[in-house]
Amino acid sequence: MVRYIEVEPGVRLWTEQRGPADAPPLLLIMGAQSSGLGWPDALVETLAADHRVVRYDHRDTGKSTWSYATRPYRIAELAEDARAVLDGLGIARAHVVGMSLGGILTQLLMADHPERLLSATLLATIAVSETPFARADGSTVPVAELPGVAPWLDEEMARPAAGPGLDAELDRRIRLWRVLASAELPFDEQHFRELERGIIEHTGSQDISEAFAAADQSGLLRTEALAATEVPTLVLAATADPLFPPPHPWHLAQCVRGARLLEIPGLGHALPPALFGPLTDAILAHTAGTRESTAPAGTAHRQD
């Protein structure tokens, strides 16, 4: 079921719900520049067997209002959009799953509106915390010294399509998925091509907004609130993520009070069909109240 939610005057967000209306709500928050359709249908359908699953388009993506050019906003305000989606759909509390920027926004919800979350699952993201990373040997690493985005990856993401037209744009997006996905798994080009073709058809345009790169990123830190949160949190460690590589998942698990850590071997900064099973199994076990973690907060499998 599709509904548009007005989050402020003149700004509407596209939302879609799947699954039983009386099932526990589960909100999916996707990353920067990504439509809600970035959550693949097959993954959503599996989650919808147990949940009322909600996915939505951020501002300046998909069918939602493209407003940044005339009404700039801060990245932090996108977390309030997620809260407004819950309000608009009449959902008091939800399990929330956030990937990449969606993981950052989920942490803001955990800190600012913990009463709205039944649980949180975070993947392929970084901590909005200044807590140093603790190695197994007892030494610590300041947040500023954790690995950043490699320059070559920045350059690759900025490289334009080879020419005009849909095929050239799809080729550009597939090239990006190749570098964001794990080198440990065979690359499923057909899956990502169909995914991106569907997103372009959904959006009605090949345009990619520059809003997320231009938006003010101030006011994101929630160090104390995350260290004191009571929201049950699962960190899915993307062991092959080139954008936020290890030890970022282990650092995130250390920053969030009580967080549990589960490795997903071969997970990069993408959602390939080969990993739908492990991902949905982990999410559903967590939302059901079980702890499918391999390490409590403050410990890790690898810290190198």
Side-chain angles (χ1 to χ4, degrees), residues 87 176 210 221 253 271:
D87 289 345
L176 286 181
E210 298 298 322
L221 288 176
L271 298 173

Side-chain angles (χ1 to χ4, degrees), residues 269-293:
H269 208 82
L271 298 173
L275 294 180
F276 288 176
L279 287 168
T280 55
D281 287 350
I283 293 168
L284 292 174
H286 181 55
T287 60
T290 59
R291 290 295 189 180
E292 292 289 331
S293 81

Side-chain angles (χ1 to χ4, degrees), residues 161-185:
L166 176 60
D167 288 341
E169 175 60 17
L170 286 172
D171 287 344
R172 183 191 72 82
R173 298 187 186 197
I174 295 307
R175 172 173 50 79
L176 286 181
W177 282 125
R178 284 187 184 276
V179 299
L180 291 174
S182 169
E184 300 174 11
L185 299 174

Side-chain angles (χ1 to χ4, degrees), residues 7-21:
V7 296
E8 64 179 58
V11 177
R12 299 195 313 161
L13 302 186
W14 175 91
T15 74
E16 181 199 64
Q17 300 176 76
R18 297 193 187 189

Side-chain angles (χ1 to χ4, degrees), residues 218-296:
S218 65
L220 293 178
L221 288 176
R222 298 292 190 277
T223 304
E224 293 79 11
L226 292 177
T229 187
E230 296 185 359
V231 176
T233 303
L234 175 66
V235 176
L236 297 179
T239 62
D241 188 348
L243 200 60
F244 303 129
H248 279 290
W250 290 270
H251 175 240
L252 176 57
Q254 292 175 357
C255 292
V256 179
R257 178 176 179 265
R260 310 291 286 186
L261 180 71
L262 176 66
E263 287 188 2
I264 305 293
L267 180 61
H269 208 82
L271 298 173
L275 294 180
F276 288 176
L279 287 168
T280 55
D281 287 350
I283 293 168
L284 292 174
H286 181 55
T287 60
T290 59
R291 290 295 189 180
E292 292 289 331
S293 81
T294 54

